[in-house]
Amino acid sequence: MSRILILDDEDSILKSLKRLLRVAPCTVGNKTFALEVETFGSPLEAIERARHEPFDLFLSDFRMPEMDGIEFLKVVKEIQPDAARLILSGYADLNALVRAVNEIGIDRFIGKPWNDYELLSAIAQSLAHRELMLENRQLANLVRLDMGDITPETLEAQRLEALEPGITQVNWGPDGSVLLDADLTNRG
Amino acid sequence: MTGETIVDGEHQQLVRIINLVIERQSQNSSKEDTQSLLDKLVKYAAMHFAHEETLMVSSGCDPRFVEAHKAIHRRFAQQVGRMCEFPSDKGMEHLLRFLTSWLAQHILGIDQSMARQIRKIRRGVTAESAYLEEKEIQTDPATSSLIDAMNALYGVIAARNDSLFELNRGLDAQVSQRTRELADANARLTSDQAKLVEVLNKYEDTQQKLLQSEKLAAIGQLAAGVAHEINNPIGFVNSNLGTLKTYISHLLDVVSAYEAVGKGADVTVLAAAIKKADLDFLREDLPSLLTESQAGLSRVTKIVQDLKDFSHVDQTGRQLANLNAAMESTLNVVSNELKYKAEVVRELGDIPEVDCDPAQINQVFMNLLVNAAHAIEHRGTIFVRSGIADDGVWFEVEDTGKGMSDAVMSRIFEPFFTTKAVGQGTGLGLSISYDIIVKRHGGKLDVFSGEGKGARFRIWLPKSSNVGAEGV
């Protein structure tokens, strides 16, 4: 099951995408991805969700009130760097597109109005690409482990870091105390 | 009387013609008439002089006398000719006086002298002694010296007349020279003026084009926002239709299964079709799919209508317009630009209709609103107000943006002055707004701002104006 987060300030868009992904198969080659879709109308809520749940793919609108799609994807890239990132936008602005590619390395930029088939295959291709990348990394790590280039501890630390970014970094205070994540303390 | 028949007859004829001229002159008859009579007189005098000269020669008068007499004749013809050539205000009167006095003096003076000499020669006196005797004649010393004096006086006048004539001719040449120069200058001025008119026309043409291109640039800026606004509904309506197609094919499968069961097929076929179609979900989702799609299409329709209202494509030029409605239609179009930046607070008063060009006023509203949104860096508020003042209506657009310094404020109405990044603005928006409000509608456009204090633009328009009624 691939987990997808969709963000758009327009409720009707979210509903139509949900419908589409429910009925249409998300296929690339002969591989079909079963999808689990969560939709959000607010970037802040979506970020909050991304802090707690892993996703395989983020699909975001560009123009939104609280922050634009690029800022949103930048934030989630920090939280979940391995997830695929796509932009779905009717705002055909070249500057935005350049920023999206250069600043966050999006996988796809899909224009509105979209073609259902193209959207589905873009999602499927991004998911397939991500799977391949993760598999490659895992295999490379196994080889490195075999050859002694990497210790099992480092590998485990990397795995944990991927699960919970920042967990392997300790923030030391000047008096030798351990500082907790500002976000966590703020949230009480 | 000279005693010479021909000469006396001709003298009488000359006096008759002069009397006729005087008579004509006093009757105010036409110039041409008098002129032709004068011509006749001059010709007749010339003939008469010729006769006199022939008579003197044939009678054998002293050559000195003949020469002097001839000279007097020539001078007379010359003087008359000049007087005719340069007629003054009193030209005719002077000419007549000259003619009568000259002829009287001539007939009574030198002609009498000529006659006496001729008579003496006929009596056997030599021409020379006749001439000399004539010079020494003492019979009537008063008359003789009077005639001499008159001759001398006449000579002086003739000389004066000659120099006057020369002066006159010089003046005439000067006048014609000046006239030519004036005509040249005039021609240059006329061609200069034509060039100026041409330049003025070009300037007005350019001004119109500028106004038009600024409008296009502003619409271009809006286009991205409008495209986003139209692409969103089209996107989901289109996608919904695709999903609907799948739904319907599933529903038709269910219907086919029902038909098959009716024809005796196994009931499990129907159950499988129903399960595949997820009928319960369809029942719930189909109506909302259709409702949402319809709402999406209405939104597109409304955006198109807003654009039409804004641009006033179907109604151009001056008319009575409700500017609150114009402001609403502009807000609708610009809202796509504003909603990510600011909350719009409307405080529109009850205002009467105003005589204006609504398409142009909309352009001003749009400039002010877009500027307000650009002045806001993150998120702020835009106030839109209207009301009545001084036999007109006013509008205000106020933002909580970054405001501007006095230096910037003093230049904002200059063409091509902009504080926006390259490609963000033409620098013409406010300059053209000023042109539209102040020059074309006879209104006022004021700005109140300070650095970090936001900005407030205030428009005042008279209820009716006759200024610059040309349409764009």
Side-chain angles (χ1 to χ4, degrees):
Chain A
M1 203 54 123
S2 300
R3 290 176 50 77
I4 292 182
L5 185 150
I6 302 178
L7 169 64
D8 199 305
D9 63 330
E10 171 93 49
D11 196 41
S12 299
I13 297 265
L14 294 176
K15 283 184 177 165
S16 71
L17 288 174
K18 245 179 158 169
R19 282 190 192 103
L20 173 69
L21 297 176
R22 199 186 75 87
V23 298
C26 188
T27 311
V28 57
N30 40 24
K31 185 169 173 63
T32 301
F33 292 91
L35 303 179
E36 195 183 317
V37 179
E38 284 190 37
T39 59
F40 291 87
S42 147
L44 297 179
E45 283 172 28
I47 288 171
E48 187 56 35
R49 182 69 174 160
R51 283 191 203 281
H52 298 96
E53 290 292 321
F55 288 94
D56 301 315
L57 184 145
F58 293 95
L59 173 66
S60 172
D61 185 15
F62 174 63
R63 262 196 157 195
M64 292 171 294
E66 289 157 354
M67 62 172 71
D68 69 29
I70 292 174
E71 286 172 53
F72 168 75
L73 290 177
K74 231 184 210 171
V75 173
V76 296
K77 187 185 179 185
E78 301 233 322
I79 305 171
Q80 304 189 26
D82 291 334
R85 291 171 293 273
L86 280 70
I87 283 183
L88 176 65
S89 172
Y91 189 68
D93 180 354
L94 184 65
N95 288 339
L97 185 58
V98 169
R99 273 179 65 208
V101 172
N102 293 351
E103 292 179 24
I104 45 175
I106 55 160
D107 293 81
R108 291 296 170 94
F109 187 102
I110 304 155
K112 281 179 188 168
W114 65 92
N115 175 303
D116 286 349
Y117 175 76
E118 280 175 15
L119 178 68
L120 285 167
S121 55
I123 291 174
Q125 282 172 16
S126 302
L127 288 173
H129 181 249
R130 175 180 175 274
E131 272 190 359
L132 194 67
M133 196 184 69
L134 290 179
E135 201 182 331
N136 271 351
R137 188 191 293 162
Q138 203 185 350
L139 288 173
N141 280 338
L142 285 179
V143 172
R144 285 193 194 104
L145 198 62
D146 274 357
M147 296 175 70
D149 286 354
I150 195 169
T151 62
E153 291 76 17
T154 318
L155 200 59
E156 180 59 17
Q158 279 178 3
R159 193 188 65 84
L160 287 172
E161 182 66 30
L163 274 178
E164 191 67 46
I167 198 170
T168 58
Q169 319 268 311
V170 178
N171 206 356
W172 297 101
D175 55 353
S177 60
V178 174
L179 297 178
L180 293 177
D181 189 349
D183 278 3
L184 285 170
T185 47
N186 285 348
R187 251 180 276 144
Chain B
M1 294 294 272
T2 58
E4 297 295 322
T5 333
I6 299 175
V7 174
D8 284 346
E10 285 176 358
H11 282 166
Q12 278 165 14
Q13 180 62 21
L14 277 173
V15 172
R16 263 202 303 280
I17 296 175
I18 289 174
N19 287 337
L20 213 58
V21 174
I22 293 171
E23 197 180 310
R24 287 280 167 86
Q25 173 74 5
S26 61
Q27 282 169 359
N28 281 330
S29 62
S30 77
K31 242 186 181 153
E32 289 77 21
D33 225 20
T34 321
Q35 189 65 44
S36 76
L37 211 55
L38 270 174
D39 287 348
K40 196 175 158 190
L41 175 70
V42 171
K43 273 187 198 140
Y44 194 84
M47 186 194 79
H48 163 66
F49 293 156
H51 286 162
E52 273 188 5
E53 284 159 18
T54 321
L55 181 69
M56 282 189 294
V57 174
S58 65
S59 308
C61 283
D62 189 282
R64 283 169 289 184
F65 178 73
V66 174
E67 261 325 296
H69 199 161
K70 273 185 179 174
I72 290 172
H73 285 164
R74 275 202 304 277
R75 269 220 301 274
F76 171 76
Q78 199 184 14
Q79 293 298 318
V80 173
R82 285 184 178 177
M83 281 175 122
C84 289
E85 205 175 317
F86 286 109
S88 62
D89 285 350
K90 293 191 168 176
M92 193 53 77
E93 198 187 323
H94 286 160
L95 182 62
L96 286 175
R97 266 161 65 186
F98 173 76
L99 285 176
T100 44
S101 13
W102 191 87
L103 280 173
Q105 185 255 5
H106 190 72
I107 291 169
L108 295 175
I110 198 152
D111 281 5
Q112 294 291 341
S113 162
M114 171 190 77
R116 277 195 299 274
Q117 286 182 51
I118 291 174
R119 275 199 302 274
K120 281 181 186 164
I121 292 167
R122 283 189 188 141
R123 282 201 308 266
V125 182
T126 62
E128 191 184 2
S129 49
Y131 172 63
L132 293 174
E133 273 171 33
E134 189 62 30
K135 283 193 97 178
E136 286 158 15
I137 200 157
Q138 296 293 324
T139 46
D140 189 354
T143 314
S144 171
S145 52
L146 200 62
I147 286 170
D148 283 349
M150 274 182 75
N151 272 337
L153 201 62
Y154 173 67
V156 170
I157 290 173
R160 278 292 179 86
N161 226 358
D162 280 356
S163 62
L164 262 177
F165 175 77
E166 289 306 321
L167 204 65
N168 237 347
R169 205 148 61 184
L171 268 177
D172 201 43
Q174 256 184 354
V175 166
S176 59
Q177 165 80 12
R178 292 272 162 83
T179 311
R180 263 200 309 282
E181 282 171 12
L182 271 175
D184 283 355
N186 218 5
R188 274 202 304 278
L189 274 176
T190 314
S191 89
D192 282 358
Q193 202 194 9
K195 273 181 208 153
L196 272 176
V197 168
E198 199 182 319
V199 170
L200 195 69
N201 284 341
K202 259 190 203 157
Y203 168 76
E204 275 173 5
D205 202 37
T206 315
Q207 185 77 3
Q208 288 291 334
K209 278 183 190 149
L210 212 60
L211 196 66
Q212 206 54 264
S213 63
E214 200 281 332
K215 192 173 174 179
L216 284 178
I219 287 174
Q221 276 188 331
L222 288 184
V226 172
H228 181 253
E229 218 51 25
I230 286 183
N231 286 337
N232 258 335
I234 288 181
F236 68 77
V237 169
N238 193 37
S239 178
N240 281 346
L241 281 178
T243 309
L244 184 64
K245 201 172 160 191
T246 316
Y247 285 0
I248 290 201
S249 94
H250 287 170
L251 280 176
L252 287 177
D253 286 349
V254 172
V255 172
S256 304
Y258 263 111
E259 281 173 349
V261 169
K263 282 175 190 158
D266 190 10
V267 188
T268 53
V269 179
L270 181 61
I274 289 175
K275 186 164 183 278
K276 190 186 169 206
D278 198 353
L279 223 48
D280 288 338
F281 180 79
L282 285 200
R283 260 194 212 101
E284 195 186 318
D285 194 41
L286 251 179
S288 62
L289 182 152
L290 292 174
T291 313
E292 283 160 29
S293 301
Q294 274 179 331
L297 288 180
S298 315
R299 258 170 60 189
V300 175
T301 313
K302 183 172 177 300
I303 290 164
V304 172
Q305 187 59 46
D306 284 344
L307 277 174
K308 259 167 101 180
D309 287 349
F310 170 76
S311 62
H312 282 260
V313 280
D314 44 352
Q315 38 181 322
T316 51
R318 288 294 183 119
Q319 55 195 276
L320 279 177
N322 179 347
L323 287 182
N324 276 344
M327 179 56 101
E328 278 299 337
S329 84
T330 308
L331 276 169
N332 281 338
V333 173
V334 187
S335 71
N336 314 312
E337 201 76 20
L338 305 184
K339 70 179 177 192
Y340 299 106
K341 280 295 199 58
E343 185 198 351
V344 177
V345 178
R346 294 167 170 79
E347 294 169 9
L348 300 178
D350 199 9
I351 55 169
E353 292 192 328
V354 170
D355 175 34
C356 64
D357 185 332
Q360 290 186 358
I361 301 294
N362 276 353
Q363 197 177 346
V364 175
F365 285 165
M366 183 183 76
N367 280 328
L368 297 184
L369 290 169
V370 170
N371 280 348
H374 282 166
I376 294 170
E377 273 161 331
H378 296 295
R379 209 167 164 81
T381 312
I382 296 174
F383 297 93
V384 179
R385 308 188 185 96
S386 66
I388 310 172
D390 304 332
D391 200 30
V393 301
W394 58 265
F395 271 86
E396 270 184 8
V397 175
E398 183 175 358
D399 64 67
T400 56
K402 58 188 168 194
M404 55 196 142
S405 64
D406 286 351
V408 170
M409 206 161 33
S410 67
R411 297 191 59 196
I412 52 171
F413 295 118
E414 283 176 24
F416 303 111
F417 177 80
T418 182
T419 56
K420 295 177 188 172
V422 175
Q424 282 267 317
T426 57
L428 289 175
L430 283 175
S431 136
I432 283 180
S433 297
Y434 189 84
D435 189 74
I436 289 173
I437 297 295
V438 178
K439 296 205 185 126
R440 289 169 193 265
H441 287 85
K444 285 187 270 193
L445 177 53
D446 297 311
V447 56
F448 310 91
S449 180
E451 228 158 334
K453 288 179 188 166
R456 178 163 62 97
F457 283 84
R458 188 185 169 98
I459 296 170
W460 176 85
L461 285 173
K463 259 183 218 162
S464 60
S465 68
N466 303 314
V467 188
E470 74 262 39
V472 174

